[in-house]
Amino acid sequence: MTDLRRRFVEQLRRHGAPLTPELAAAFASVPREIFVADGFQRRDGTWAEPGTAGFLETVYQDEVLVTKVHGRTPVSSSSQPSLMAVMLSALDVSAGHRVLEIGAGTGYNAALLSAVGAEVTSIDVQADVADRARAALTRAGVEKVRVIAGDGYAGAPGQRFDRAIVTVGVAGVSPHWLQQTGPGPIVVPVEHAGTHPVLAVRGTMDGPVTATVVCPSGFMTAAGPLTAQHARAHPHPVPAESLATFAETAPARWEQPLDPYEYRDLWYAAGVWHTRATQAALPGRDGSTLTLLDETGTGGAAILPDGSVMAGGGGAQRYTAEAVEVLDRWDAANRPPMQAWRITLERAGDPDTPIWCPAAWELAR
Ligand SMILES: C[S@@+](CC[C@H](N)C(=O)[O-])C[C@H]1O[C@@H](n2cnc3c(N)ncnc32)[C@H](O)[C@@H]1O
């Protein structure tokens, strides 16, 4: 077991996880298998049960473990460990910090926070998930973690925190978190162009509220007011079956296609410059593609990592021109990484349950 976890930490380092000695010690000491005691869904859709062949080996891979599904939709999971490491490192948490976590899930992230000496209040909207997280934390002997069942929008009224970490995708930041969390930061995956880049947000409940980008990510979507529609929301991701046939309308512009991180940088900029940028599964292509979706939701133009454009539907020509404009603009700006953007958030959503959403972007000088 010690060996499995030692190799796990090495794997996280190889995957670029920024592990301080304290974080490395946390990943090396917290038994992840205790937090997935009811098993998880394998990639082929079958359920992996504890004690079966390969169970522990998979638990100590740098992989998301889906622990609850509704039909075919994952509704709870233990996130990808290298992403957890990046988010925990952005949280800049030290022993004695009081941390609010939204999305208790399995309880594993809360256990890691506890291992670095934080005092944690973790909230999950699903009561059965909160119960299981609480039980797992007890079995693992984790101290100073309180799990609450409820909608994380309200945070933990009456409590004060030094930091907040959100482990579910939201459209905007709750003013309650800003009120309960000193100067911050709040580390939170916020919808942008069909994905959830993780932001480090600072501000007060009445504003101003600003943010920087930590890293790309794709989280499951939160329930309740945290995902309210707002004026600047991009279209939701589109499944392959809803798109018209797409054909190449502009050739590759780069001999060397963008690597996955550069592609996410272009994607982020496209979301700043185009209100209809989102994620689409193109028929016949693996993975997800940056797409400027037309108003019918069935056509538009997709931008591929080599800079070529594929388009379809009635507005294919217009959308191709807009895609090329995005590419020209990104090149002209010297291909800014997503971390170069400075974001101003505005109050939006339902007036009774407002959220602070990204509204204006500027490139750092
Ligand atoms: C990716 S999982 C969290 C992973 C978790 N931190 C861990 O270490 O296992 C996302 C969780 O967010 C919860 N969730 C969704 N909407 C929520 C909301 N509005 N408030 C609180 N939790 C929410 C889901 O029930 C789900 O368990």
Side-chain angles (χ1 to χ4, degrees), residues 75-78 101 103-106 109 124-126 151-152 167-168 222-223 226:
V75 291
S76 196
S77 64
S78 170
E101 182 188 38
T106 62
N109 192 53
D124 204 288
V125 74
Q126 302 184 74
D151 193 315
T167 58
V168 62
L226 294 170

Side-chain angles (χ1 to χ4, degrees), residues 102 151-155 166 168-179 186 188-192 196 199 201 204-210 221-234 236 344-359:
I102 307 299
D151 193 315
Y153 175 79
V166 182
V168 62
V170 299
V173 172
S174 163
H176 300 291
W177 308 340
L178 291 161
Q179 185 193 28
I186 297 171
V188 49
V190 180
E191 284 173 13
H192 181 82
H196 294 108
L199 306 185
V201 176
T204 60
M205 70 177 298
D206 296 316
V209 182
T210 58
T221 301
L226 294 170
T227 38
Q229 268 300 311
H230 61 95
R232 286 171 203 276
H234 294 95
H236 290 303
T344 304
L345 290 84
E346 276 177 9
R347 218 175 149 99
D350 186 326
D352 292 336
T353 48
I355 47 177
W356 287 85
C357 299

Side-chain angles (χ1 to χ4, degrees), residues 191-264:
E191 284 173 13
H192 181 82
T195 71
H196 294 108
V198 176
L199 306 185
V201 176
R202 292 176 187 273
T204 60
M205 70 177 298
D206 296 316
V209 182
T210 58
T212 51
V213 185
V214 174
C215 66
S217 86
F219 267 89
M220 57 184 64
T221 301
L226 294 170
T227 38
Q229 268 300 311
H230 61 95
R232 286 171 203 276
H234 294 95
H236 290 303
V238 255
E241 56 272 19
S242 57
L243 283 183
T245 309
F246 275 42
E248 186 172 291
T249 49
R253 65 162 64 199
W254 303 304
E255 219 167 275
Q256 181 73 35
L258 302 175
D259 69 33
Y261 282 95
E262 293 169 319
Y263 189 46
R264 291 290 160 178

Side-chain angles (χ1 to χ4, degrees), residues 288-311:
S288 53
T289 309
L290 163 61
T291 299
L292 311 181
L293 192 69
D294 73 10
E295 290 72 10
T296 69
T298 59
I303 302 176
L304 275 55
D306 62 4
S308 63
V309 178
M310 293 177 75

